[in-house]
Amino acid sequence: IAPLPVEYDPELEGYKSMLDMGHGMGDNENFPKAQAIKDATMAHFISENLKKQDVMIHLNGTYHSKNFEGIVWYLKKENKRASVVTIHTVLQEDISKLVEDYKNSADFILVVPSSMTRTY
């Protein structure tokens, strides 16, 4: 786990939106806090294992790095030298033009048809 106490910013959009997701938990303020601990822990160990000039690829779910929040936010706080590139995959009915809401959510955005087979 990341060193405690873990800083938590409830104003980050990703954490605020988690309160709206519910997952059957109502307005459970601990849900985004638990995600923040996961994000901080992943960022901590990425930073701890990242050597100068190394390239590291870390795969994670959308909410852990969308809009440069989550892991990215914690990593930048812990290791200001780290250069981070994010990729966000989005589902759209029409893949010919990126939906406005997805713009600037990552460095690279992959648009795939919403009819594409998915696994969880």
Side-chain angles (χ1 to χ4, degrees), residues 94-109:
D94 176 9
I95 64 170
S96 65
K97 184 177 182 208
L98 183 64
V99 170
E100 193 68 31
D101 288 349
Y102 297 136
K103 289 185 177 177
N104 302 313
S105 62
D107 294 298
F108 297 94
I109 302 167

Side-chain angles (χ1 to χ4, degrees), residues 5-15 32-33 35-44 46-47 60 62-82 84-86:
V6 169
E7 182 179 352
Y8 170 67
D9 184 350
E11 294 307 309
L12 289 174
E13 198 56 44
Y15 297 141
K33 289 177 183 178
Q35 292 300 312
I37 291 171
K38 290 166 82 174
D39 292 338
T41 298
M42 287 185 272
H44 173 73
I46 288 169
S47 182
N60 56 264
T62 298
Y63 275 93
H64 293 288
S65 60
K66 181 178 168 189
N67 297 319
F68 308 95
E69 294 181 0
I71 298 167
V72 178
W73 189 80
Y74 284 104
L75 185 57
K76 289 296 192 176
K77 287 188 155 304
E78 189 164 331
N79 186 343
K80 296 191 186 327
R81 299 180 289 103
V84 178
V85 175
T86 61

Side-chain angles (χ1 to χ4, degrees), residues 2-55:
L4 298 175
V6 169
E7 182 179 352
Y8 170 67
D9 184 350
E11 294 307 309
L12 289 174
E13 198 56 44
Y15 297 141
K16 286 197 309 190
S17 70
M18 285 179 192
L19 288 174
D20 297 333
M21 291 170 60
H23 290 297
M25 294 182 278
D27 290 335
N28 187 340
E29 291 181 19
N30 289 327
F31 179 59
K33 289 177 183 178
Q35 292 300 312
I37 291 171
K38 290 166 82 174
D39 292 338
T41 298
M42 287 185 272
H44 173 73
F45 285 102
I46 288 169
S47 182
E48 194 171 85
N49 289 285
L50 188 63
K51 307 295 182 239
K52 191 175 184 178
Q53 303 300 321
D54 274 357
V55 173

